[in-house]
Amino acid sequence: MSSCGNPAVEAEALMSRRLKFDKSRSCVKCKTNVGNIVIRHAVYCKDCFTPLQTTKFKRSLEPSINPASASTSGPRRTKLKATGNLLIGFSGGLGSTVLLDLVSRCYISSNETVENVDGNSKPRGGTKHPRNQSVWMEARACYVEMCGAFPESGMRDRTDEVRKAVERYNGFEFVSLRIEDAFDSRWWASVGGRDQIRERDLGVDLSDEELLLSSLQHSSDSSPLAALQKYLSSLPTTTATQSSLTALTRLLLLYTALATSSSHLLLGTTLTGLSIGLISGVAMGGGFVVREEAGEEWEPRISGLAGEERRIKVVRPLQDMGMKECAAWVWWNGLEVVGKENVVGVKQGIGGLTKDFIVGLERDYPSTVSTIARTCAKLAPKDAAVERCVMCERPAQRGVQDWKARISIRSFNSPESEMSIPLPPHIQSAIPPPSHPHHSSFSPSLTPLLCYGCHTTLTSRSSRGTALQSKNLSKSLTDVIAPLPVWVSSRLLDSVVNPGGEMRDDLGGDAWQSKKMDVKEMRDAVKDFLLED
Amino acid sequence: MPPRNCALCANARAMLKRPKTGQQICRGCFFYVFETEVHNTITEAKLFKPGDKVAIGASGGKDSTVLAHVMKTLNERYQYGLDLFLLSIDEGITGYRDDSLETVKRNQQQYDIPLKILSYDELYGWTMDAIVSQVGKKNNCTFCGVFRRQALDRGAATLGVDHIVTGHNADDIAETVLMNIMRGDIARLGRCTLICTQGEDTIKRSKPFKYAYEKEIVMYAYFKKLDYFSTECIYSPDAYRGHARVFLKDLEAARPSAIIDIIHSGEAFEVREEVKATQKVQQTCQRCGYMSSNELCKACTLLEGLERGMANSAITDRARKKLDAEGPAPDNLRTIPFYRAPSAAGPNASIAVEAPS
C-alpha cells in the first residue's frame, strides 16, 4: 500500500521523499551542536557556519591579491599586499551586502588590539607588524544607480539608502555612479578618457543587421540620460536590454577602478549567481569568454595607461557561497539588505529564465550550481583571441561573421561574408544588393569590431522583442541611429579615424569612409516611405 | 496587411517565417537555404570523399526522414559520389517502432536506397520491452541509449560502410551542451559539438543537421510532404533531459538565436589541457571488442546485469559491488558477438540488406 494509505495507488509510482540532510541532525564539523543549516545535504551549526564561510571567502580571494599570496606555504595574511586600492561593486543586493561585511571584518577592521599600561589600545604586535599592515591602501564601494534605465517603471533612486548602508562600515569611501554615465563625456573625461567626443559622437543603426555607423545628429535633448534611453529602446529584445545593462555596469565599474588606482574590483556574485551567469552567458553565445565570467584580469585601453601595474583583477570572492548561505549570513549577523526592485519583463529574458531554471533545479538537485561552476572552471577558449570587442572589452575570436553567414543564410548577396552563394533555381536574374536608405554607400560597420555575444545582442531579434521593427519603419535617420557608450565612441575615434576624417577598419578589412548626409540625400533615401502632404 | 515579398529573393510571396532568422521568405528560398546550409556544413567539415559508403541512421522520425531526403538531394546536386544506405535499429518496443519502421521501408522504395534493419533482440537477445519488464521505467533510457549506439556501429560494420550520418539537429546539440555543463560531464562536453566523431576502432559518425533547427526540419517535411511518424517513446523519458529541453524551448522563445548561440559557445571552448590529462584513456572491451573506457564496455556490463538478474549493476555503485560479490560471470553467460570494425572485416565483407524492389 502507498504511503497515503490508498491501496489503489501503485506503490512504485510514488517517489519517496528524500531527506534534506545526510545522516543526523548534528553539525558535521563540531559533531556536538544541533545543526542550524543544511548546505548541500551537510548539516552545520551556527557556530561552525561563520568560520566555514569566512574560510571559503578568504580562500577565493587571497590567492589573487598578489603573487606571494598565491603560495600555499606558510601563513598567508602577512604576505598580503595589493599593488593598488580596492573597489567593491556594491549593488545593495544580498551578495554585495555579505561581501562588504566580510571585507570589512577580514581586512579593514580586523586588527586585534591589546591594551597597554596607559589604558590605550594598540594593534597586537605593533602597528608595523606585517599582520597589521593594510592589504589595500584605500577601499571604496561603488554603486551604480539603475533607475534611469527604466523611466516607465517608476523605479526609485536608491542612492541615499545605499550610501547609508556603506557608511555603516568604517574605512570605505562611497562612490556613486549612474547607469547613464556610460553615455556621459564628462564622466568619461573624469576617468581618464579624452573629452573630445561631444563634437564627434558616433551612433549605430540597430535596425539593420550590418550595424552601420553614422554621425549622431544632436537633438534638443542630448543628455546622457536621453542617450541611454534611446540606446536601450533601440535594442531588439528584452534579453539584449538586460545583458547590455550588465555590460554597461561592468565597464563603469572597471573604469572607476582604473580612475581610483584600484588593483582589485570585488563583486558580490554568489555561487548561485555565478552559475546563472555562466549558463546564461553560454546561452547568449559567450562561450569564448566563459572563463572571464568567473574572474578576469582587465587591461585598460585608454592610451598611455596600459601596463602591468594598471591591470585590474576582477574577483568574485563569494563564488563558493550559495545564495542560501549568504541569506543565512545576513540573517544571523543582523545585516540590512537594501535590495533591488523588480523590473517588469526581466523574467522573459534569457537571464531571468536562466535564474528561474537554476534556482528551481537547485531545489531538486542541490549540487547543480556548484557542478556548473566547477565544470566551467575546467574550460578554456579553443582559439587565441584576435582582438578585444569594442563594446564589452573582452576577448573576441576570428571568423565570427563567416560562421554566422555559413550556418544561417540571410542574404544571397551578403556583404558580411566572402562566401559566394549561388542563386536558387527559381530565381532567374541576379538580386540587387540590399539598400540602406539611411546611409551612404561608404558607411562603416560596427560588426567587425564586435565579439559574437555583443553582435548577437545588437542584432538577434524575437517576435516577443521590443517594438523596434514596427516603430522604425517610418522613422527618420535621427530616430533610428542609437548612440554608443563613451568607450565605444572613443575607441572608434581613437583607432580608426585619422585626422583627415577617413576611417579604416583596424581588423584588417577594407578601407571605409564616413560621409555626413545632407537633408536632400536623406530625403532621397527615404522618399519611398514618405507620404504626400 | 498586404502580402509581403520574400526577404531573400524579393520576387515571390513570403510563405513562412524562418524560425532560425525570423525572415519572411518564400517556399523555394526556404528549401534552397535549408539545403545549402546543410551543404555548407558538410563541405566546411570535409565530411565525405567520392566513393564513400554512407549509412543514414533511419528511425522513421522527422529528423532521419528529412535527412534521407536531403542527403539524396545533395548527393545528386553537388555530385558527392556517395553510396547511400539506410540503417535502422529495432529496439523492440511494441507500438512505438512498428509504424516508424514502415516509414523507413517506404523511404527505401522512394529513394531507391538499400535498407538494413538490426534488432536489439538479434544482437543482444533482449528487446526493450523485456528490459523494461526487468528494470522498470526508471533507468531504461540508459540501456536503450547504450545499446543503440553499439547497434548502429555493428549494423554499419555488417554493411561495410565508412560513415554513419545521424539526424541529430541543432536543438539536440544545444540541449546536450547545457546538460553536460549542468551534470559536469566534461568528457562529453568536449566532444558534443564536434560534427564528426571517430574512435580508433569505430566507424566515423557525423551530424549534418548540426545547425538545422528542429522547427525547420518539421517545416521542410511539411512543405515537401514527407511522411514520418512523430511518436514519443512510451517508456518514461530521462527526467533531467526533460528539464533541459523545456528550458531550451523557453530560451528559444525569448530569443530564437539561443539554440545556435549555445552551439557557438560549445564550439568556442574546450577542456583545458591539464584536465584532459586526467581523463580516462580509451581501450577495447575484453569481452566484445568494442571501444570502452573500462575493461568491459557499458553494453557488456548492462547485458551481464540483465542476464544475471541484477540489472542495476551498471547504474549504481552499490549494485555493482553486489554483482562483484556474487563472483565472476558464468561461462555460459550470453554475450554480444565480437565487434570487428569495417577495416578489419575487409573490403569484401558481406552485406545483408533488403534491396529496393
mmCIF file of all heavy atoms in Angstrom, chain A residues 282 285 287 375 377-378 380 382 397 403 406-410 422 427 452 456 460-462, chain B residues 8-9 20 23 28-29 32 37 40 184 211 254 256-257 260-261 264-265 267-268 270 272:
data_model
loop_
_atom_site.group_PDB
_atom_site.id
_atom_site.type_symbol
_atom_site.label_atom_id
_atom_site.label_comp_id
_atom_site.label_asym_id
_atom_site.label_seq_id
_atom_site.Cartn_x
_atom_site.Cartn_y
_atom_site.Cartn_z
ATOM 1 N N VAL A 282 26.533 31.305 -21.761
ATOM 2 C CA VAL A 282 26.626 30.288 -22.824
ATOM 3 C C VAL A 282 25.418 30.414 -23.757
ATOM 4 O O VAL A 282 25.551 30.355 -24.980
ATOM 5 C CB VAL A 282 26.715 28.866 -22.202
ATOM 6 C CG1 VAL A 282 26.466 27.790 -23.236
ATOM 7 C CG2 VAL A 282 28.088 28.664 -21.553
ATOM 8 N N GLY A 285 25.755 33.062 -26.343
ATOM 9 C CA GLY A 285 26.870 32.953 -27.284
ATOM 10 C C GLY A 285 28.215 33.358 -26.705
ATOM 11 O O GLY A 285 29.173 33.553 -27.445
ATOM 12 N N GLY A 287 30.474 31.655 -25.045
ATOM 13 C CA GLY A 287 31.333 30.526 -24.667
ATOM 14 C C GLY A 287 32.818 30.856 -24.711
ATOM 15 O O GLY A 287 33.606 30.342 -23.927
ATOM 16 N N THR A 375 32.469 22.797 -13.557
ATOM 17 C CA THR A 375 32.629 22.361 -14.960
ATOM 18 C C THR A 375 33.196 23.513 -15.797
ATOM 19 O O THR A 375 34.144 23.311 -16.571
ATOM 20 C CB THR A 375 31.265 21.921 -15.545
ATOM 21 O OG1 THR A 375 30.693 20.968 -14.664
ATOM 22 C CG2 THR A 375 31.426 21.302 -16.917
ATOM 23 N N ALA A 377 34.937 25.947 -14.853
ATOM 24 C CA ALA A 377 36.324 26.262 -14.468
ATOM 25 C C ALA A 377 37.319 25.369 -15.202
ATOM 26 O O ALA A 377 38.517 25.653 -15.236
ATOM 27 C CB ALA A 377 36.479 26.114 -12.966
ATOM 28 N N LYS A 378 36.838 24.274 -15.771
ATOM 29 C CA LYS A 378 37.731 23.344 -16.487
ATOM 30 C C LYS A 378 37.821 23.675 -17.974
ATOM 31 O O LYS A 378 38.403 22.918 -18.740
ATOM 32 C CB LYS A 378 37.217 21.911 -16.320
ATOM 33 C CG LYS A 378 37.336 21.396 -14.896
ATOM 34 C CD LYS A 378 36.703 20.022 -14.772
ATOM 35 C CE LYS A 378 36.718 19.578 -13.315
ATOM 36 N NZ LYS A 378 35.850 18.421 -13.092
ATOM 37 N N ALA A 380 38.529 26.271 -21.380
ATOM 38 C CA ALA A 380 39.400 27.345 -21.878
ATOM 39 C C ALA A 380 38.981 27.647 -23.310
ATOM 40 O O ALA A 380 38.434 26.775 -23.988
ATOM 41 C CB ALA A 380 40.848 26.881 -21.850
ATOM 42 N N LYS A 382 39.004 27.893 -27.239
ATOM 43 C CA LYS A 382 39.654 26.974 -28.182
ATOM 44 C C LYS A 382 40.736 27.681 -28.991
ATOM 45 O O LYS A 382 41.785 27.104 -29.250
ATOM 46 C CB LYS A 382 38.581 26.384 -29.102
ATOM 47 C CG LYS A 382 38.932 25.035 -29.649
ATOM 48 C CD LYS A 382 37.777 24.470 -30.449
ATOM 49 C CE LYS A 382 36.962 23.479 -29.648
ATOM 50 N NZ LYS A 382 35.826 22.953 -30.363
ATOM 51 N N GLN A 397 36.961 36.452 -30.932
ATOM 52 C CA GLN A 397 37.606 35.461 -31.794
ATOM 53 C C GLN A 397 37.439 35.834 -33.259
ATOM 54 O O GLN A 397 36.618 36.670 -33.627
ATOM 55 C CB GLN A 397 37.035 34.067 -31.516
ATOM 56 C CG GLN A 397 35.567 33.953 -31.825
ATOM 57 C CD GLN A 397 34.926 32.739 -31.183
ATOM 58 O OE1 GLN A 397 33.986 32.850 -30.439
ATOM 59 N NE2 GLN A 397 35.432 31.562 -31.513
ATOM 60 N N TRP A 403 31.192 32.490 -39.980
ATOM 61 C CA TRP A 403 30.488 31.370 -39.338
ATOM 62 C C TRP A 403 28.986 31.613 -39.369
ATOM 63 O O TRP A 403 28.207 30.744 -39.744
ATOM 64 C CB TRP A 403 30.993 31.226 -37.899
ATOM 65 C CG TRP A 403 30.499 30.011 -37.178
ATOM 66 C CD1 TRP A 403 31.078 28.773 -37.147
ATOM 67 C CD2 TRP A 403 29.315 29.904 -36.352
ATOM 68 N NE1 TRP A 403 30.335 27.916 -36.366
ATOM 69 C CE2 TRP A 403 29.243 28.583 -35.872
ATOM 70 C CE3 TRP A 403 28.309 30.800 -35.988
ATOM 71 C CZ2 TRP A 403 28.227 28.128 -35.037
ATOM 72 C CZ3 TRP A 403 27.282 30.345 -35.162
ATOM 73 C CH2 TRP A 403 27.246 29.027 -34.684
ATOM 74 N N ARG A 406 27.557 31.302 -42.864
ATOM 75 C CA ARG A 406 27.567 29.937 -43.391
ATOM 76 C C ARG A 406 26.409 29.113 -42.833
ATOM 77 O O ARG A 406 25.767 28.372 -43.542
ATOM 78 C CB ARG A 406 28.905 29.294 -43.021
ATOM 79 C CG ARG A 406 29.216 28.012 -43.747
ATOM 80 C CD ARG A 406 30.665 27.605 -43.557
ATOM 81 N NE ARG A 406 31.052 27.467 -42.178
ATOM 82 C CZ ARG A 406 32.014 28.158 -41.583
ATOM 83 N NH1 ARG A 406 32.700 29.041 -42.263
ATOM 84 N NH2 ARG A 406 32.318 27.960 -40.315
ATOM 85 N N ILE A 407 26.156 29.273 -41.534
ATOM 86 C CA ILE A 407 25.154 28.393 -40.926
ATOM 87 C C ILE A 407 23.743 28.976 -40.975
ATOM 88 O O ILE A 407 22.788 28.248 -40.783
ATOM 89 C CB ILE A 407 25.538 27.999 -39.481
ATOM 90 C CG1 ILE A 407 25.732 29.248 -38.634
ATOM 91 C CG2 ILE A 407 26.777 27.141 -39.425
ATOM 92 C CD1 ILE A 407 24.781 29.262 -37.541
ATOM 93 N N SER A 408 23.616 30.266 -41.217
ATOM 94 C CA SER A 408 22.260 30.781 -41.466
ATOM 95 C C SER A 408 22.334 31.863 -42.537
ATOM 96 O O SER A 408 22.759 32.977 -42.268
ATOM 97 C CB SER A 408 21.584 31.294 -40.193
ATOM 98 O OG SER A 408 22.439 32.087 -39.438
ATOM 99 N N ILE A 409 21.922 31.468 -43.712
ATOM 100 C CA ILE A 409 21.985 32.367 -44.871
ATOM 101 C C ILE A 409 20.898 33.431 -44.726
ATOM 102 O O ILE A 409 19.718 33.096 -44.614
ATOM 103 C CB ILE A 409 21.796 31.562 -46.178
ATOM 104 C CG1 ILE A 409 22.942 30.553 -46.325
ATOM 105 C CG2 ILE A 409 21.726 32.496 -47.387
ATOM 106 C CD1 ILE A 409 22.700 29.496 -47.384
ATOM 107 N N ARG A 410 21.317 34.689 -44.686
ATOM 108 C CA ARG A 410 20.355 35.779 -44.531
ATOM 109 C C ARG A 410 20.223 36.604 -45.801
ATOM 110 O O ARG A 410 19.396 37.503 -45.888
ATOM 111 C CB ARG A 410 20.816 36.704 -43.395
ATOM 112 C CG ARG A 410 20.593 36.105 -42.042
ATOM 113 C CD ARG A 410 21.584 36.649 -41.047
ATOM 114 N NE ARG A 410 21.654 35.784 -39.890
ATOM 115 C CZ ARG A 410 20.864 35.890 -38.834
ATOM 116 N NH1 ARG A 410 19.966 36.825 -38.793
ATOM 117 N NH2 ARG A 410 20.980 35.069 -37.829
ATOM 118 N N PRO A 422 25.405 30.588 -54.640
ATOM 119 C CA PRO A 422 24.699 30.508 -55.910
ATOM 120 C C PRO A 422 23.207 30.739 -55.709
ATOM 121 O O PRO A 422 22.673 30.469 -54.641
ATOM 122 C CB PRO A 422 24.991 29.086 -56.396
ATOM 123 C CG PRO A 422 25.484 28.344 -55.226
ATOM 124 C CD PRO A 422 25.975 29.320 -54.222
ATOM 125 N N ILE A 427 15.072 31.556 -59.144
ATOM 126 C CA ILE A 427 15.410 32.966 -59.378
ATOM 127 C C ILE A 427 16.210 33.062 -60.682
ATOM 128 O O ILE A 427 17.234 32.393 -60.835
ATOM 129 C CB ILE A 427 16.231 33.530 -58.201
ATOM 130 C CG1 ILE A 427 15.385 33.441 -56.926
ATOM 131 C CG2 ILE A 427 16.642 34.966 -58.461
ATOM 132 C CD1 ILE A 427 16.119 33.805 -55.689
ATOM 133 N N TYR A 452 31.180 37.827 -30.733
ATOM 134 C CA TYR A 452 29.952 37.117 -31.122
ATOM 135 C C TYR A 452 28.779 37.527 -30.236
ATOM 136 O O TYR A 452 27.686 37.832 -30.717
ATOM 137 C CB TYR A 452 30.176 35.603 -31.015
ATOM 138 C CG TYR A 452 28.982 34.781 -31.437
ATOM 139 C CD1 TYR A 452 28.855 34.333 -32.743
ATOM 140 C CD2 TYR A 452 27.967 34.466 -30.536
ATOM 141 C CE1 TYR A 452 27.743 33.592 -33.139
ATOM 142 C CE2 TYR A 452 26.861 33.736 -30.922
ATOM 143 C CZ TYR A 452 26.757 33.295 -32.218
ATOM 144 O OH TYR A 452 25.662 32.567 -32.604
ATOM 145 N N THR A 456 25.429 39.518 -31.409
ATOM 146 C CA THR A 456 24.129 38.854 -31.273
ATOM 147 C C THR A 456 23.182 39.721 -30.446
ATOM 148 O O THR A 456 21.998 39.846 -30.771
ATOM 149 C CB THR A 456 24.321 37.474 -30.615
ATOM 150 O OG1 THR A 456 25.261 36.737 -31.404
ATOM 151 C CG2 THR A 456 23.029 36.692 -30.533
ATOM 152 N N SER A 460 20.157 40.102 -32.840
ATOM 153 C CA SER A 460 19.248 38.962 -32.784
ATOM 154 C C SER A 460 17.849 39.405 -32.346
ATOM 155 O O SER A 460 17.697 40.031 -31.303
ATOM 156 C CB SER A 460 19.789 37.921 -31.814
ATOM 157 O OG SER A 460 18.918 36.840 -31.773
ATOM 158 N N ARG A 461 16.877 39.066 -33.149
ATOM 159 C CA ARG A 461 15.519 39.546 -32.888
ATOM 160 C C ARG A 461 14.604 38.425 -32.424
ATOM 161 O O ARG A 461 14.927 37.246 -32.551
ATOM 162 C CB ARG A 461 14.936 40.163 -34.162
ATOM 163 C CG ARG A 461 15.739 41.339 -34.586
ATOM 164 C CD ARG A 461 15.230 42.039 -35.812
ATOM 165 N NE ARG A 461 16.269 42.944 -36.250
ATOM 166 C CZ ARG A 461 16.603 44.040 -35.612
ATOM 167 N NH1 ARG A 461 15.988 44.385 -34.513
ATOM 168 N NH2 ARG A 461 17.581 44.808 -36.052
ATOM 169 N N SER A 462 13.462 38.832 -31.925
ATOM 170 C CA SER A 462 12.486 37.854 -31.468
ATOM 171 C C SER A 462 11.105 38.434 -31.733
ATOM 172 O O SER A 462 10.924 39.653 -31.705
ATOM 173 C CB SER A 462 12.685 37.620 -29.978
ATOM 174 O OG SER A 462 11.519 37.117 -29.399
ATOM 175 N N LEU B 8 14.459 37.189 -49.149
ATOM 176 C CA LEU B 8 15.699 36.747 -49.806
ATOM 177 C C LEU B 8 15.689 37.041 -51.310
ATOM 178 O O LEU B 8 16.625 37.630 -51.833
ATOM 179 C CB LEU B 8 15.918 35.249 -49.555
ATOM 180 C CG LEU B 8 16.343 34.884 -48.134
ATOM 181 C CD1 LEU B 8 16.337 33.365 -47.944
ATOM 182 C CD2 LEU B 8 17.734 35.415 -47.818
ATOM 183 N N CYS B 9 14.624 36.621 -51.993
ATOM 184 C CA CYS B 9 14.636 36.798 -53.447
ATOM 185 C C CYS B 9 13.847 38.053 -53.882
ATOM 186 O O CYS B 9 14.004 38.512 -54.997
ATOM 187 C CB CYS B 9 14.074 35.557 -54.148
ATOM 188 S SG CYS B 9 12.318 35.289 -53.873
ATOM 189 N N LYS B 20 14.807 30.204 -37.661
ATOM 190 C CA LYS B 20 16.213 30.468 -37.328
ATOM 191 C C LYS B 20 16.572 31.949 -37.427
ATOM 192 O O LYS B 20 17.338 32.458 -36.630
ATOM 193 C CB LYS B 20 17.068 29.666 -38.309
ATOM 194 C CG LYS B 20 18.483 29.412 -37.876
ATOM 195 C CD LYS B 20 19.132 28.571 -38.976
ATOM 196 C CE LYS B 20 20.427 27.965 -38.599
ATOM 197 N NZ LYS B 20 20.936 27.117 -39.693
ATOM 198 N N GLN B 23 13.279 35.768 -40.698
ATOM 199 C CA GLN B 23 12.964 36.381 -42.001
ATOM 200 C C GLN B 23 11.701 35.763 -42.596
ATOM 201 O O GLN B 23 11.464 34.560 -42.442
ATOM 202 C CB GLN B 23 14.117 36.161 -42.984
ATOM 203 C CG GLN B 23 15.334 37.019 -42.702
ATOM 204 C CD GLN B 23 16.464 36.703 -43.674
ATOM 205 O OE1 GLN B 23 16.724 35.540 -43.992
ATOM 206 N NE2 GLN B 23 17.140 37.726 -44.144
ATOM 207 N N GLY B 28 10.335 28.380 -52.033
ATOM 208 C CA GLY B 28 11.507 27.990 -52.839
ATOM 209 C C GLY B 28 12.800 28.398 -52.159
ATOM 210 O O GLY B 28 13.771 27.622 -52.112
ATOM 211 N N CYS B 29 12.834 29.614 -51.629
ATOM 212 C CA CYS B 29 14.050 30.074 -50.945
ATOM 213 C C CYS B 29 14.285 29.280 -49.671
ATOM 214 O O CYS B 29 15.428 29.004 -49.304
ATOM 215 C CB CYS B 29 13.970 31.569 -50.626
ATOM 216 S SG CYS B 29 14.287 32.595 -52.069
ATOM 217 N N TYR B 32 15.835 26.049 -50.518
ATOM 218 C CA TYR B 32 17.195 26.274 -51.010
ATOM 219 C C TYR B 32 18.168 26.626 -49.871
ATOM 220 O O TYR B 32 19.260 26.071 -49.793
ATOM 221 C CB TYR B 32 17.183 27.379 -52.070
ATOM 222 C CG TYR B 32 18.495 27.470 -52.781
ATOM 223 C CD1 TYR B 32 18.876 26.503 -53.702
ATOM 224 C CD2 TYR B 32 19.380 28.506 -52.513
ATOM 225 C CE1 TYR B 32 20.094 26.564 -54.336
ATOM 226 C CE2 TYR B 32 20.611 28.570 -53.140
ATOM 227 C CZ TYR B 32 20.959 27.596 -54.059
ATOM 228 O OH TYR B 32 22.174 27.658 -54.684
ATOM 229 N N GLU B 37 22.550 25.316 -46.408
ATOM 230 C CA GLU B 37 23.215 25.358 -45.097
ATOM 231 C C GLU B 37 23.728 23.978 -44.697
ATOM 232 O O GLU B 37 24.820 23.857 -44.136
ATOM 233 C CB GLU B 37 22.245 25.899 -44.032
ATOM 234 C CG GLU B 37 22.056 27.412 -44.111
ATOM 235 C CD GLU B 37 20.899 27.944 -43.287
ATOM 236 O OE1 GLU B 37 20.326 27.174 -42.486
ATOM 237 O OE2 GLU B 37 20.565 29.125 -43.455
ATOM 238 N N ASN B 40 26.736 23.481 -46.769
ATOM 239 C CA ASN B 40 27.857 24.250 -46.197
ATOM 240 C C ASN B 40 28.471 23.512 -45.009
ATOM 241 O O ASN B 40 29.687 23.470 -44.850
ATOM 242 C CB ASN B 40 27.385 25.630 -45.719
ATOM 243 C CG ASN B 40 27.090 26.568 -46.875
ATOM 244 O OD1 ASN B 40 27.486 26.310 -48.006
ATOM 245 N ND2 ASN B 40 26.376 27.650 -46.598
ATOM 246 N N GLY B 184 28.146 18.139 -15.202
ATOM 247 C CA GLY B 184 29.600 18.068 -15.032
ATOM 248 C C GLY B 184 30.274 16.997 -15.857
ATOM 249 O O GLY B 184 31.336 16.496 -15.486
ATOM 250 N N TYR B 211 23.400 22.268 -37.462
ATOM 251 C CA TYR B 211 22.948 23.660 -37.351
ATOM 252 C C TYR B 211 21.497 23.844 -37.811
ATOM 253 O O TYR B 211 21.048 24.964 -38.013
ATOM 254 C CB TYR B 211 23.854 24.575 -38.183
ATOM 255 C CG TYR B 211 25.303 24.537 -37.789
ATOM 256 C CD1 TYR B 211 26.279 24.123 -38.690
ATOM 257 C CD2 TYR B 211 25.709 24.917 -36.518
ATOM 258 C CE1 TYR B 211 27.615 24.085 -38.334
ATOM 259 C CE2 TYR B 211 27.044 24.878 -36.149
ATOM 260 C CZ TYR B 211 27.995 24.464 -37.067
ATOM 261 O OH TYR B 211 29.316 24.426 -36.707
ATOM 262 N N ALA B 254 12.384 33.166 -26.041
ATOM 263 C CA ALA B 254 12.858 34.505 -25.666
ATOM 264 C C ALA B 254 13.720 35.102 -26.773
ATOM 265 O O ALA B 254 13.640 36.295 -27.058
ATOM 266 C CB ALA B 254 13.659 34.434 -24.369
ATOM 267 N N PRO B 256 15.183 33.460 -30.523
ATOM 268 C CA PRO B 256 15.342 32.260 -31.353
ATOM 269 C C PRO B 256 16.791 31.890 -31.656
ATOM 270 O O PRO B 256 17.105 30.730 -31.878
ATOM 271 C CB PRO B 256 14.585 32.610 -32.634
ATOM 272 C CG PRO B 256 13.587 33.622 -32.210
ATOM 273 C CD PRO B 256 14.241 34.418 -31.132
ATOM 274 N N SER B 257 17.682 32.875 -31.645
ATOM 275 C CA SER B 257 19.073 32.530 -31.948
ATOM 276 C C SER B 257 19.736 31.774 -30.805
ATOM 277 O O SER B 257 20.863 31.302 -30.946
ATOM 278 C CB SER B 257 19.881 33.792 -32.278
ATOM 279 O OG SER B 257 20.091 34.556 -31.111
ATOM 280 N N ILE B 260 21.443 28.375 -31.679
ATOM 281 C CA ILE B 260 22.698 28.452 -32.425
ATOM 282 C C ILE B 260 23.776 29.138 -31.563
ATOM 283 O O ILE B 260 24.963 28.821 -31.667
ATOM 284 C CB ILE B 260 22.437 29.174 -33.776
ATOM 285 C CG1 ILE B 260 23.179 28.463 -34.890
ATOM 286 C CG2 ILE B 260 22.771 30.634 -33.773
ATOM 287 C CD1 ILE B 260 22.588 27.187 -35.293
ATOM 288 N N ASP B 261 23.363 30.033 -30.682
ATOM 289 C CA ASP B 261 24.317 30.711 -29.803
ATOM 290 C C ASP B 261 24.940 29.721 -28.812
ATOM 291 O O ASP B 261 26.134 29.812 -28.501
ATOM 292 C CB ASP B 261 23.634 31.851 -29.031
ATOM 293 C CG ASP B 261 23.101 32.945 -29.955
ATOM 294 O OD1 ASP B 261 23.581 33.028 -31.101
ATOM 295 O OD2 ASP B 261 22.208 33.701 -29.539
ATOM 296 N N HIS B 264 27.425 27.745 -30.723
ATOM 297 C CA HIS B 264 28.627 28.551 -30.940
ATOM 298 C C HIS B 264 29.479 28.577 -29.671
ATOM 299 O O HIS B 264 30.705 28.449 -29.737
ATOM 300 C CB HIS B 264 28.262 29.979 -31.358
ATOM 301 C CG HIS B 264 29.454 30.792 -31.723
ATOM 302 N ND1 HIS B 264 30.124 31.557 -30.796
ATOM 303 C CD2 HIS B 264 30.152 30.926 -32.877
ATOM 304 C CE1 HIS B 264 31.157 32.130 -31.378
ATOM 305 N NE2 HIS B 264 31.181 31.769 -32.646
ATOM 306 N N SER B 265 28.828 28.712 -28.529
ATOM 307 C CA SER B 265 29.552 28.687 -27.257
ATOM 308 C C SER B 265 30.293 27.363 -27.102
ATOM 309 O O SER B 265 31.465 27.332 -26.742
ATOM 310 C CB SER B 265 28.588 28.857 -26.085
ATOM 311 O OG SER B 265 28.138 30.178 -26.016
ATOM 312 N N GLU B 267 31.303 25.364 -29.312
ATOM 313 C CA GLU B 267 32.434 25.241 -30.250
ATOM 314 C C GLU B 267 33.594 26.148 -29.860
ATOM 315 O O GLU B 267 34.728 25.919 -30.276
ATOM 316 C CB GLU B 267 31.977 25.617 -31.666
ATOM 317 C CG GLU B 267 31.067 24.584 -32.293
ATOM 318 C CD GLU B 267 30.666 24.957 -33.715
ATOM 319 O OE1 GLU B 267 31.149 25.979 -34.245
ATOM 320 O OE2 GLU B 267 29.851 24.231 -34.287
ATOM 321 N N ALA B 268 33.289 27.203 -29.094
ATOM 322 C CA ALA B 268 34.334 28.194 -28.785
ATOM 323 C C ALA B 268 35.220 27.766 -27.621
ATOM 324 O O ALA B 268 36.317 28.269 -27.478
ATOM 325 C CB ALA B 268 33.683 29.546 -28.483
ATOM 326 N N GLU B 270 37.007 24.617 -25.032
ATOM 327 C CA GLU B 270 37.443 23.222 -24.979
ATOM 328 C C GLU B 270 37.890 22.920 -23.553
ATOM 329 O O GLU B 270 38.091 23.828 -22.756
ATOM 330 C CB GLU B 270 38.587 22.976 -25.971
ATOM 331 C CG GLU B 270 39.825 23.792 -25.662
ATOM 332 C CD GLU B 270 40.950 23.569 -26.664
ATOM 333 O OE1 GLU B 270 40.809 22.741 -27.549
ATOM 334 O OE2 GLU B 270 41.971 24.254 -26.521
ATOM 335 N N ARG B 272 40.356 22.213 -20.701
ATOM 336 C CA ARG B 272 41.746 22.640 -20.508
ATOM 337 C C ARG B 272 42.684 21.448 -20.559
ATOM 338 O O ARG B 272 42.337 20.338 -20.138
ATOM 339 C CB ARG B 272 41.887 23.337 -19.148
ATOM 340 C CG ARG B 272 41.404 24.760 -19.189
ATOM 341 C CD ARG B 272 41.640 25.542 -17.921
ATOM 342 N NE ARG B 272 42.327 24.860 -16.855
ATOM 343 C CZ ARG B 272 41.956 24.916 -15.581
ATOM 344 N NH1 ARG B 272 40.904 25.603 -15.240
ATOM 345 N NH2 ARG B 272 42.645 24.305 -14.655
#
